[in-house]
Amino acid sequence: MTEGQKSVPAPRPATTVLLVRPSVPGEPNSILEVFMVVRHQAIDSFSGALVFPGGKLEDADGDARLRERCGGADKIAAEELKFRVAGVREAFEECGILLARKRGQRAVIAAAELKGIEDRWRVKLAKDEATIIDLVEAEDLELATDLMVPYAHWITPTFAPKRFDTWFFLAEAPEDQIALHDGSESVDSVWIGAQAAIDEAAAGKRTLVHATFKNLELLVEGKTVAGAIAAAGARKIVTVQPWVETRDGKRYLHIPPDAGYRNLFRELPPTAGR
């Protein structure tokens, strides 16, 4: 079988969450920070890379019973809602942030109440011993899917051995909840300025996959939490599936020109994308 005849693996649905906060507590106009985790070296997808929390969708994320327990669900299509639910679940599993509120309340759960919920459910969810439905029904919660702003939609290039169809969502982290990596899929975590993450990658201190790098660039342009949320709300989401072009013996990874990103291509190392 020639290279052109190789079968292309289907992308798996996934969600990524950009949790942001002001870099100076209590000063909303300060430059934003974003929560990022370092993937475990043994994980076969993006091992060792600095990434936003996220993961693959589970069947329960799209269960119809969740619709009445999702904030703003009347304005969100079912196909999109399951990606938002997955984002809430993954943020809780991977870093202990729970974007949810007690039913009938407007504020998200405070840290004092979250501790008991985390003790009862976080490990069970991570080990697939319980589903997000079990959590919300037992704790009488409403998932704060209304606080998640669609940010980007990326599909892994066809040359990759593992592919994902990933929706990115932006959300402001609750002020009194503490984000911390799970120690399993991720081995380190950091609140970091978007430009600082880019600069550290350029200096060889961090590893960033292409989608992470490009979405960090958008965060830099947003500057503040409010600015990033406003920009995301105004931006048309265009699906990005990078492709490779060869020019003058060099290979370049391209993204669509109408997706809202600057620097639409970058040169690939000789062995990448083959």
Side-chain angles (χ1 to χ4, degrees):
M1 182 178 289
T2 64
E3 183 174 352
Q5 296 173 317
K6 289 180 180 177
S7 61
V8 176
R12 299 189 63 175
T15 294
T16 290
V17 185
L18 285 67
L19 292 167
V20 294
R21 71 180 187 185
S23 56
V24 180
E27 296 190 15
N29 291 325
S30 59
I31 296 297
L32 67 78
E33 295 179 327
V34 61
F35 185 75
M36 304 187 74
V37 298
V38 178
R39 297 284 284 176
H40 196 290
Q41 293 288 346
I43 299 294
D44 57 0
S45 297
F46 316 130
S47 63
L50 185 68
V51 299
F52 309 118
K56 297 184 290 291
L57 264 66
E58 297 180 355
D59 290 342
D61 298 331
D63 193 294
R65 289 174 290 174
L66 285 173
R67 191 163 189 86
E68 65 177 18
R69 289 184 174 272
C70 289
D74 58 325
K75 300 177 182 178
I76 306 170
E79 181 64 22
E80 179 182 328
L81 187 63
K82 66 183 180 182
F83 282 90
R84 295 197 190 202
V85 170
V88 173
R89 176 183 53 75
E90 284 288 343
F92 182 53
E93 289 181 22
E94 197 164 346
C95 56
I97 293 292
L98 182 56
L99 297 171
R101 51 179 77 92
K102 283 289 186 178
R103 283 217 289 185
Q105 297 184 7
R106 297 183 62 184
V108 297
I109 288 172
E113 191 169 12
L114 176 60
K115 179 63 169 62
I117 296 174
E118 184 174 10
D119 290 344
R120 290 189 290 273
W121 294 99
R122 188 177 175 188
V123 172
K124 285 185 177 181
L125 286 173
K127 291 184 175 182
D128 295 327
E129 296 173 354
T131 69
I132 189 68
I133 301 169
D134 299 325
L135 166 62
V136 298
E137 290 186 342
E139 302 291 342
D140 196 24
L141 300 178
E142 176 187 272
L143 301 180
T145 45
D146 53 313
L147 300 183
M148 302 179 72
V149 182
Y151 196 74
H153 181 212
W154 283 64
I155 300 177
T156 310
T158 56
F159 58 75
K162 289 208 169 187
R163 303 182 64 227
F164 299 93
D165 180 339
T166 305
W167 274 94
F168 291 71
F169 293 95
L170 181 70
E172 183 171 8
E175 187 173 357
D176 68 342
Q177 291 189 21
I178 299 174
L180 185 65
H181 58 280
D182 62 7
S184 176
E185 290 189 5
S186 54
V187 294
D188 196 7
S189 58
V190 62
W191 283 99
I192 190 170
Q195 188 61 55
I198 292 171
D199 292 344
E200 289 186 11
K205 297 178 181 179
R206 303 280 189 184
T207 299
L208 296 175
V209 297
H210 192 52
T212 304
F213 175 76
K214 299 308 292 182
N215 286 300
L216 281 169
E217 287 185 329
L218 286 186
L219 281 184
V220 172
E221 295 178 12
K223 297 182 180 179
T224 65
V225 171
I229 291 174
R235 188 170 60 249
K236 178 184 177 183
I237 304 298
V238 173
T239 299
V240 176
Q241 181 173 309
W243 69 92
V244 175
E245 291 183 6
T246 301
R247 299 193 304 273
D248 300 324
K250 296 181 180 180
R251 301 167 67 251
Y252 297 88
L253 190 66
H254 281 255
I255 62 175
D258 57 348
Y261 299 91
R262 300 180 183 179
N263 306 317
L264 299 178
F265 61 89
R266 69 178 178 89
E267 186 177 349
L268 288 171
T271 58
R274 293 189 183 278

